[in-house]
Amino acid sequence: MVHDSYETSILLFSYGTLQDKTVQLATFGRELTGRPDAMTGYVLHWVAITDPQVLKTSGKAQHPIVYASYDPKDEVPGMVFEISQDELRAADSYEVADYKRVSVLLKSGVHAWVYIKA
């Protein structure tokens, strides 16, 4: 999708299930295209998922979740996607209460929304 320069693009960083084609189609109604990036100062852990709709969508009972470590040597790889405001709301609906959405500065120097440990 080509965006005109006057449009505000929303960047979403995913290190987990939002990278899965099946999850993208169920959540956004389309497959997202992204580019590799990373979060620095965070470490990856796992969280048990109990929400029936999220379990059905992802097919996984354990999802990755990140915590701030504040150590710049720590890094969590993932993908940056350009999405719409409606798609950001859809992502908010998909994520369970264990997560909160925050803006982070990625390794590439861009700011993006990401879901971290609530």
Side-chain angles (χ1 to χ4, degrees):
M1 183 192 310
V2 175
H3 289 280
D4 294 326
S5 59
Y6 61 84
E7 287 187 35
T8 305
S9 59
I10 297 171
L11 297 179
L12 178 67
F13 179 77
S14 173
Y15 53 85
T17 59
L18 286 173
Q19 295 180 76
D20 293 352
K21 179 181 177 179
T22 305
V23 172
Q24 291 176 2
L25 291 172
T27 305
F28 308 117
R30 69 182 180 104
E31 190 175 346
L32 303 179
T33 53
R35 62 182 183 275
D37 211 328
M39 297 171 66
T40 55
Y42 287 85
V43 291
L44 189 74
H45 293 279
W46 294 90
V47 63
I49 300 298
T50 57
D51 181 282
Q53 187 58 47
V54 175
L55 283 167
K56 181 180 173 207
T57 301
S58 74
K60 297 178 172 82
Q62 295 276 320
H63 284 198
I65 194 164
V66 294
Y67 296 74
S69 69
Y70 307 106
D71 183 341
K73 291 190 297 292
D74 290 332
E75 190 172 292
V76 176
M79 295 289 286
V80 179
F81 300 107
E82 196 170 310
I83 62 170
S84 70
Q85 189 65 49
D86 286 344
E87 289 170 330
L88 185 61
R89 282 191 285 275
D92 285 345
S93 296
Y94 169 75
E95 295 296 351
V96 296
D98 298 286
Y99 296 87
K100 67 179 177 183
R101 178 166 49 92
V102 299
S103 178
V104 296
L105 180 63
L106 297 174
K107 190 174 185 178
S108 67
V110 300
H111 282 91
W113 290 111
V114 66
Y115 296 94
I116 67 169
K117 170 94 174 109

